[in-house]
Amino acid sequence: MAVSVWLASVLLALGLSLVESQTGEDFTKLLSDFPNIDSRVRPVKNYSTVSVVNVSFHLMAILGFDTITQKLSSTGWLQATWSNEYTTWNPDHYGGVRSVSPNPATMWRPKLTLKNTMADLKPMGEDYINLELLPDGTTIWYPGDLLETFCRVDVTYFPFDIQICRWEMFVWGEGLDTVDLQVTTTDIILDTYVGNGEWQLMATQAWRDVRKNSTKPTPYANYEVTLRRRPTLLALTIMLPITVLAFVNVFVFTIPSESGERLSYSITVLLSFGVFMGFVLGSMPSSTENIPIMALNLAGLLVLSAIYVLLCIMSLRFFHRDHHKYPVPSVLKSFVVILETVFCLDQYLPKKNRVKVRQADVSELLDPACNPALVSPALVDIRKGRIVRRMQLVVSNADAMKSDVSDVMKSDVMGKAGAELGDEDDPDKREEASKAKDEMSWPRVSRTLDRLFFRFFGFLVLASNVTMFAVIIFNFRETIRSGLR
Ligand SMILES: *[C@@H]1O[C@H](CO)[C@@H](O)[C@H](O)[C@H]1NC(C)=O
Ligand SMILES: *[C@@H]1O[C@H](CO)[C@@H](O)[C@H](O)[C@H]1NC(C)=O
Ligand SMILES: *[C@@H]1O[C@H](CO)[C@@H](O)[C@H](O)[C@H]1NC(C)=O
């Protein structure tokens, strides 16, 4: 209402400033000379004439968009012009009066009504909103109000969602044969628009159509905005923590069973997921028509978190099972071996070509201070890629010199060099591996399963998050493109 009052006073001031040197008598005379026509009667001399009302919509602000009740609150005003055949005058006869504002309550005005309103279903414009008359009978009226409209919300891609909202206006009680509504612009006029912090206005559109359904054909003025939610804050406060939590959760499988912390860790993460979910769902629009992809993702992650707890319990039970009382069943044994080989989960088998010789090891070996036998300056110059060759050199040198290089160090260097070169013919390693392979204990079953779970769920969480982000962002771009018709 405050908006309307402000508007009315501005327009009144505007109207009076146009008046130059006319006297009050001129206006009074003009107004009293107008024929006394009832305000319910359309101001046309031949009643078969259709009154054409031209409208343009000026959006002032989007006050709020309640996506739960699907209500868009906004303020705006219309500029409506029509022709009054009874109120024409010659300015020269009235001291040059070119514009006059009679009492709006005594004049005919179209009952412009919002069809998709969520407030009172009543025509726009109060009686105090000024109305301006021009000498040729053109009447200009600026009804404005707080508009509360229904806007169907699609939150599938929350928080990267785009909403399209409309204001549909018609003239109450009139059909195409009496009052025709014409839309004079192809857009909503945004000269008085102030931005909104949560919603960014992407595009606007305006058009007229005629609808007839159980009533006479009625012209409608339709105004539409495309609103984009500003996603940064929600992405930071909702999406990022969920994603981080999801990844942190998977790491429960890397905690050693001996530590005794596993179960409390997984329960804690599950709980924080639950708490967080309540918070997130509270800030998410709860529409049953479409479920946000993010809510699905959240629910999935919560279920996964519960599954982790169960798997942890299982793994812990395996770990602490008495090997002598309950030997590992042969089926489980072969299953674990298959897992280890197929998914490379083995810690017992020799790692082929996987040992990396760290430069530090070599440097230490080649440091004359640690290793007085090796004083050849050529060996001290180490570069990547030559390490292995140098090491062989060291080994052969050491062998040849039969110096103080300790046996331990020698075998260490040889082992590393051999591993690096992919030397699989090391009989010691093979023997060790086959021994380990035969020896199947419950802790080993537990550890292998943990490794499998870690990889499997890590991949699952990664894939589901990447998919979700990809779908949302792809759709976001598509909607923006189609929204800006
Ligand atoms: C009113 O207009 C219609 C068509 O526009 C015409 O047929 C009719 O004669 C007019 N009536 C008068 C009284 O002028
Ligand atoms: C309404 O708009 C049409 C075209 O835009 C114009 O020809 C006509 O004069 C306007 N009518 C009034 C009453 O302003
Ligand atoms: C009448 O209403 C039905 C739905 O109830 C709609 O499909 C149809 O398009 C409407 N007809 C017109 C002319 O608007």
Side-chain angles (χ1 to χ4, degrees):
M1 277 324 117
V3 172
S4 314
V5 174
W6 173 82
L7 205 68
S9 58
V10 165
L11 295 173
L12 184 64
L14 212 72
L16 291 179
S17 70
L18 290 173
V19 178
E20 285 139 26
S21 64
Q22 296 83 32
T23 60
E25 284 94 340
D26 291 332
F27 286 97
T28 315
K29 181 166 182 294
L30 174 58
L31 288 174
S32 62
D33 281 357
F34 286 152
N36 192 9
I37 303 287
D38 194 289
S39 65
R40 288 165 293 188
V41 176
R42 244 180 344 114
V44 286
K45 286 177 174 157
N46 181 343
Y47 230 66
S48 349
T49 315
V50 175
S51 296
V52 177
V53 177
N54 288 350
V55 287
S56 60
F57 181 49
H58 299 244
L59 184 64
M60 290 172 77
I62 289 180
L63 302 180
F65 189 3
D66 187 346
T67 44
I68 295 174
T69 56
Q70 318 204 40
K71 182 168 82 175
L72 178 76
S73 303
S74 57
T75 50
W77 50 282
L78 287 170
Q79 176 175 357
T81 50
W82 64 92
S83 183
N84 186 329
E85 294 178 5
Y86 289 106
T87 56
T88 56
W89 73 93
N90 185 342
D92 298 341
H93 298 169
Y94 295 93
V97 172
R98 300 201 167 274
S99 150
V100 73
S101 297
N103 178 7
T106 64
M107 308 294 288
W108 180 86
R109 287 159 298 166
K111 294 190 174 64
L112 288 163
T113 313
L114 260 182
K115 179 181 173 262
N116 56 342
T117 185
M118 288 184 89
D120 299 347
L121 189 60
K122 63 176 178 56
M124 282 173 77
E126 302 285 335
D127 275 354
Y128 56 79
I129 292 177
N130 241 47
L131 186 137
E132 189 186 0
L133 278 177
L134 302 182
D136 64 351
T138 302
T139 313
I140 309 168
W141 188 44
Y142 303 95
D145 216 333
L146 169 68
L147 309 171
E148 292 184 330
T149 45
F150 174 79
C151 179
R152 191 169 296 283
V153 173
D154 181 356
V155 287
T156 310
Y157 301 104
F158 174 87
F160 292 89
D161 50 341
I162 284 174
Q163 310 295 344
I164 294 175
C165 292
R166 277 188 197 169
W167 294 268
E168 298 170 8
M169 294 169 200
F170 68 104
V171 180
W172 190 277
E174 310 281 359
L176 201 53
D177 54 341
T178 50
V179 175
D180 188 6
L181 211 52
Q182 289 289 344
V183 173
T184 52
T185 55
T186 55
D187 302 306
I188 294 175
I189 300 172
L190 297 174
D191 53 354
T192 50
Y193 180 71
V194 290
N196 180 281
E198 192 182 356
W199 296 92
Q200 187 186 353
L201 200 150
M202 306 287 296
T204 66
Q205 222 186 352
W207 72 96
R208 166 192 184 268
D209 60 11
V210 177
R211 304 178 198 177
K212 71 177 229 281
N213 250 359
S214 76
T215 56
K216 50 193 169 185
T218 311
Y220 274 81
N222 302 283
Y223 296 95
E224 187 181 276
V225 282
T226 308
L227 296 171
R228 180 177 80 112
R229 195 194 293 271
R230 298 183 200 269
T232 322
L233 184 67
L234 287 169
L236 278 180
T237 56
I238 295 181
M239 296 188 93
L240 187 68
I242 289 173
T243 313
V244 169
L245 210 53
F247 281 108
V248 165
N249 205 354
V250 180
F251 280 84
V252 68
F253 293 114
T254 62
I255 304 175
S257 294
E258 298 92 326
S259 80
E261 290 287 331
R262 294 188 73 172
L263 218 49
S264 55
Y265 176 85
S266 60
I267 290 281
T268 308
V269 179
L270 173 66
L271 274 183
S272 60
F273 240 119
V275 170
F276 202 72
M277 190 169 175
F279 162 68
V280 166
L281 286 184
S283 66
M284 235 185 235
S286 53
S287 153
T288 46
E289 282 174 40
N290 37 54
I291 297 168
I293 292 181
M294 256 196 61
L296 286 181
N297 190 49
L298 236 185
L301 290 175
L302 190 74
V303 170
L304 271 188
S305 192
I307 290 176
Y308 297 166
V309 174
L310 296 181
L311 290 177
C312 270
I313 293 173
M314 187 187 89
S315 170
L316 281 176
R317 283 183 63 89
F318 278 163
F319 187 81
H320 292 292
R321 188 165 277 199
D322 189 346
H323 182 62
H324 302 294
K325 251 190 201 163
Y326 311 99
V328 182
S330 56
V331 177
L332 188 58
K333 214 182 270 184
S334 41
F335 177 64
V336 167
V337 170
I338 288 169
L339 282 183
E340 283 172 356
T341 14
V342 171
F343 295 105
C344 305
L345 303 168
D346 45 349
Q347 56 176 354
Y348 299 95
L349 301 177
K351 296 190 174 172
K352 291 170 198 161
N353 303 336
R354 282 221 251 137
V355 175
K356 286 270 172 345
V357 179
R358 283 186 300 126
Q359 183 150 357
D361 293 343
V362 183
S363 311
E364 196 186 304
L365 276 176
L366 299 181
D367 189 354
C370 301
N371 222 345
L374 309 170
V375 280
S376 164
L379 291 175
V380 182
D381 172 31
I382 301 164
R383 296 213 187 89
K384 262 191 182 167
R386 293 206 206 146
I387 292 171
V388 173
R389 204 143 45 82
R390 292 278 162 112
M391 281 183 52
Q392 282 175 305
L393 243 166
V394 173
V395 172
S396 56
N397 271 2
D399 278 349
M401 284 153 69
K402 298 215 183 320
S403 63
D404 304 345
V405 181
S406 70
D407 285 348
V408 177
M409 193 175 275
K410 206 160 65 179
S411 69
D412 191 29
V413 169
M414 279 164 106
K416 277 182 177 164
E420 181 70 22
L421 290 174
D423 182 1
E424 290 172 39
D425 298 332
D426 191 335
D428 283 358
K429 292 247 162 187
R430 282 213 151 177
E431 204 177 308
E432 232 174 73
S434 58
K435 219 193 283 169
K437 217 169 183 174
D438 292 342
E439 168 203 316
M440 178 64 72
S441 60
W442 282 112
R444 180 172 162 191
V445 172
S446 157
R447 269 194 286 267
T448 302
L449 286 180
D450 282 346
R451 280 198 197 92
L452 176 74
F453 294 151
F454 177 65
R455 289 190 196 180
F456 176 73
F457 288 111
F459 179 75
L460 195 69
V461 168
L462 186 69
S464 80
N465 274 295
V466 166
T467 313
M468 183 189 70
F469 279 103
V471 166
I472 286 179
I473 287 171
F474 178 75
N475 181 273
F476 187 56
R477 294 175 53 129
E478 284 301 298
T479 322
I480 284 184
R481 211 169 293 153
S482 63
L484 300 174
R485 285 162 291 205

